[in-house]
Amino acid sequence: MNTSEMNAENTLLPLALLALGKTGADVERMVRKVRRTARRSGRAVSWADLENALLAGQADMSADLRRRAAVHEAGHAVVYTVTGVAAVQSASIGLHGIGMVTTTPNASLPQNETWLMNSVACLLAGRAAELTVIGEALAGGGGADESDLARATAMALAAETSLGFSGHQPLLYRSATMGTNELALDRQLAERVNRRLENAEAIARRIIDENRRAVEDVAAQLDDVGVMSGDEVRQLVGRPMDVIQPSNAPP
């Protein structure tokens, strides 16, 4: 990539971040609409035209909810960065529902029990940040099959039923579909899964406590501008991409 291409990429990065979650067809339709509007006004398309069009889909949030969402997503972003489980690509609030952190998995990490517990900690980190910074957590971390709590529970359940990490019958394989139903029927299994979730939340809260300033800084920037790149997150955490080392926190 030459210098002019790099400059163009950096210039367009803010718009690219605002477009996260949209398909190429979505962006193409939006640009055509912006061009038509500008043409009718007898002028060229401006940066503000594109930015306003991308911001038009932002969720309408009160100042309090926006702050809570910023803290929640900051928790995810910081714990992903510190554990090294995945590289943060972006963090945003208001653009895609309440908030979102996009990541790229770290394929170089061995998928052992430490990796699994750190991964569950990353999923619980938004709720953990709310509890640490605000003092309470909203219901947004749960309530749906794709929620943080649901995904964390599924990973903890897999550890106990299908990945061989259980201290109880580790060689016995049970499918994920059977396991979900078993949580309601097998009290001991439910207790083991819950214990894993509590341990993972403790990992998340420890990391957040140790990096409280970074969580607050990321949350403040998200509250202010709504979207951040992964590099911006890593800069505030103090962990550039080339020096990130995975956390070896025990499960």
Side-chain angles (χ1 to χ4, degrees):
M1 182 181 293
N2 60 41
T3 302
S4 62
E5 289 174 331
M6 289 178 65
N7 289 338
E9 181 177 316
N10 290 333
T11 299
L12 293 173
L13 180 59
L15 292 179
L17 290 173
L18 291 176
L20 285 169
K22 296 182 183 296
T23 65
D26 291 335
V27 173
E28 186 178 0
R29 281 192 298 271
M30 183 207 73
V31 171
R32 284 202 301 265
K33 183 177 180 180
V34 168
R35 281 176 174 167
R36 282 196 302 269
T37 301
R39 192 180 304 118
R40 289 168 186 162
S41 300
R43 59 179 178 78
V45 173
S46 69
W47 178 283
D49 292 330
L50 295 171
E51 187 175 49
N52 289 335
L54 289 167
L55 289 172
Q58 277 202 354
D60 185 18
M61 293 189 288
S62 67
D64 178 65
L65 180 56
R66 186 175 178 86
R67 166 65 175 162
R68 290 172 183 267
V71 168
H72 183 101
E73 301 308 331
H76 285 304
V78 169
V79 176
Y80 270 118
T81 300
V82 172
T83 62
V85 164
V88 173
Q89 299 301 308
S90 70
S92 63
I93 59 171
L95 297 179
H96 316 281
I98 298 299
M100 180 174 70
V101 171
T102 62
T103 62
T104 300
N106 185 348
S108 66
L109 289 182
Q111 294 188 356
N112 53 22
E113 192 169 7
T114 295
W115 163 84
L116 181 137
M117 292 300 292
N118 283 338
S119 297
V120 177
C122 290
L123 292 172
L124 296 176
R127 183 177 187 276
E130 290 182 64
L131 291 171
T132 299
V133 176
I134 299 173
E136 64 176 2
L138 296 183
D145 289 343
E146 292 302 315
S147 68
D148 295 339
L149 290 181
R151 294 164 62 202
T153 299
M155 287 196 75
L157 176 60
E160 290 295 327
T161 59
S162 62
L163 296 180
F165 293 143
S166 178
H168 175 73
Q169 299 177 329
L171 301 181
L172 180 64
Y173 173 85
R174 285 174 284 186
S175 70
T177 53
M178 289 179 60
T180 301
N181 294 328
E182 282 188 74
L183 282 178
L185 302 174
D186 188 334
R187 186 172 182 177
Q188 292 183 340
L189 174 61
E191 288 176 352
R192 293 198 302 274
V193 169
N194 187 64
R195 191 176 307 119
R196 278 191 181 274
L197 292 171
E198 289 177 341
N199 290 342
E201 185 181 54
I203 293 171
R205 295 196 71 165
R206 175 181 59 77
I207 292 172
I208 288 166
D209 283 338
E210 293 172 354
N211 297 271
R212 176 71 176 264
R213 176 65 181 271
V215 173
E216 295 274 14
D217 288 347
V218 172
Q221 188 162 332
L222 279 176
D223 194 1
D224 183 34
V225 301
V227 61
M228 297 174 64
S229 69
D231 286 339
E232 289 173 321
V233 170
R234 284 182 284 276
Q235 183 177 11
L236 291 178
V237 178
R239 296 204 177 197
M241 180 75 83
D242 58 349
V243 299
I244 289 179
Q245 297 295 327
S247 169
N248 291 316

